[in-house]
Amino acid sequence: KNDKGKVYAILLADTVQLTDEGAKLLTNNDVSWKGIAYTLETDEVELVDKDLEVLEETSTSLREQSKQQRQKEIQKNMAEEQERREKQQQLAEQLRVRALAKLEGREDPDAISAKAAERQMVVSYKSGPSSFPHEARPGRLFVDMNRETILLPVYGMHVPLHITTLKSITKNPELGELRLNFIAPTHMQRSTTSTGAQKQLSVVEKAVKANGNRIFLREATYKCSDEHHLNHVLQQVSDLRKRVRERELLRKQSQGLVKQDKLVL
């Protein structure tokens, strides 16, 4: 210890041999003060270690953020590429159908559907109200499964609307209401201006667009205390829409088919 009571260490750097002839230095290494002395600064070393840990954590966080950003960009690019491929497939299918129609000497399907939309109107009862089903009771909803038509009571009389004109149907069990939404020119405008792949309009929708200057029924709400009747109408409408969708899908799938000649054995 020194005079102040602090503990310190001394390392002998030289080895000296004492003889009768005198002292003899046996150390051949560097004996300067800089070569034999050093100080341990423990506090500074701990601070440096902490700084290094903070730097490593910051670097790891930056790498994770960069990795997440790259993954988002990759996912976005993949989604755009998938959308582009789907669009290309749709265009290729349209070209294939047109080329097939040209080879077979038929008219372009798009032109045929456009002409059909101009002249084809869905007529459920050509003879008028006299051909309405006798089971339809005044003031009550009725679904004609044979004619695929919904008879709506309006001012004491039935108004027939074909099932293909129906956009959606919902039931509110708390209020005992049945709400029917129909295809109208406002729906057509909103659907044709939406982004993404645009679906081809059906014959009924094209007819609506071609006759947009007429008055269309957009929605109707009916209230009935007989919940069983509402459920029955809702089930009939659902079954009818399913039947029409399956038939339309089968018709679209059979458009590209070519009739094969009889085999000659």
Side-chain angles (χ1 to χ4, degrees), residues 2-265:
N2 58 7
D3 297 338
K4 297 181 180 180
K6 293 185 178 181
V7 180
Y8 62 92
I10 296 177
L11 177 65
L12 296 178
D14 294 336
T15 302
V16 179
Q17 182 181 9
L18 300 177
T19 61
D20 297 338
E21 297 177 354
K24 183 178 180 180
L25 183 63
L26 301 179
T27 303
N28 296 324
N29 297 328
D30 185 10
V31 295
S32 64
W33 177 253
K34 293 182 179 181
I36 64 175
Y38 61 92
T39 304
L40 297 177
E41 299 292 343
T42 57
D43 295 338
E44 294 182 0
V45 172
E46 292 178 357
L47 291 176
V48 171
D49 293 340
K50 291 181 180 179
D51 293 340
L52 290 176
E53 292 178 359
V54 173
L55 183 60
E56 289 178 357
E57 293 178 357
T58 304
S59 178
T60 303
S61 177
L62 292 175
R63 285 197 299 269
E64 290 294 333
Q65 293 179 1
S66 178
K67 183 178 180 181
Q68 293 177 0
Q69 185 67 24
R70 288 197 300 270
Q71 289 179 352
K72 290 181 180 179
E73 292 179 356
I74 292 174
Q75 293 176 356
K76 181 180 178 182
N77 294 335
M78 290 177 63
E80 292 178 352
E81 179 65 18
Q82 181 66 22
E83 184 177 356
R84 186 189 67 82
R85 289 181 179 179
E86 292 178 355
K87 184 64 177 178
Q88 292 293 330
Q89 289 179 358
Q90 292 179 359
L91 295 176
E93 180 64 18
Q94 293 178 5
L95 292 176
R96 187 190 69 82
V97 173
R98 291 177 181 176
L100 182 62
K102 186 176 181 180
L103 291 173
E104 296 178 354
R106 294 186 287 107
E107 194 174 356
D108 189 354
D110 292 338
I112 295 176
S113 59
K115 293 180 181 180
E118 295 178 358
R119 64 175 182 268
Q120 180 178 354
M121 296 297 293
V122 180
V123 179
S124 300
Y125 303 97
K126 296 182 179 181
S127 301
S130 59
S131 58
F132 286 176
H134 298 290
E135 297 84 357
R137 295 171 54 185
R140 291 175 68 91
L141 285 168
F142 183 81
V143 180
D144 190 348
M145 301 295 289
N146 296 328
R147 300 294 181 92
E148 300 178 349
T149 301
I150 306 174
L151 294 176
L152 305 180
V154 179
Y155 293 110
M157 63 180 64
H158 280 116
V159 177
L161 289 174
H162 197 266
I163 191 64
T164 52
T165 63
L166 182 66
K167 180 177 176 63
S168 63
I169 181 171
T170 56
K171 176 191 172 185
N172 190 338
E174 297 180 357
L175 302 177
E177 292 181 350
L178 199 65
R179 181 176 179 180
L180 300 94
N181 295 317
F182 297 92
I183 298 174
T186 54
H187 294 155
M188 295 301 306
Q189 184 178 3
R190 181 163 60 252
S191 63
T192 53
T193 56
S194 60
T195 58
Q198 297 181 353
K199 297 182 179 179
Q200 288 187 343
L201 304 178
S202 64
V203 174
V204 176
E205 292 173 335
K206 288 183 179 180
V208 171
K209 188 176 181 180
N211 298 275
N213 57 341
R214 297 188 180 183
I215 298 176
F216 292 88
L217 178 64
R218 182 175 179 180
E219 66 179 54
T221 303
Y222 289 93
K223 181 178 291 187
C224 181
S225 58
D226 187 358
E227 185 176 0
H228 176 72
H229 178 66
L230 289 181
N231 293 332
H232 182 62
V233 172
L234 182 62
Q235 184 63 38
Q236 284 185 313
V237 171
S238 300
D239 295 342
L240 198 54
R241 295 184 69 188
K242 181 179 179 181
R243 181 206 301 177
V244 173
R245 282 197 299 266
E246 291 177 352
R247 186 178 62 207
E248 183 68 15
L249 179 61
L250 182 62
R251 184 188 64 82
K252 289 182 179 180
Q253 292 177 349
S254 61
Q255 282 182 350
L257 300 179
V258 180
K259 186 177 181 180
Q260 185 178 1
D261 297 335
K262 294 182 179 181
L263 296 176
V264 179
L265 301 178

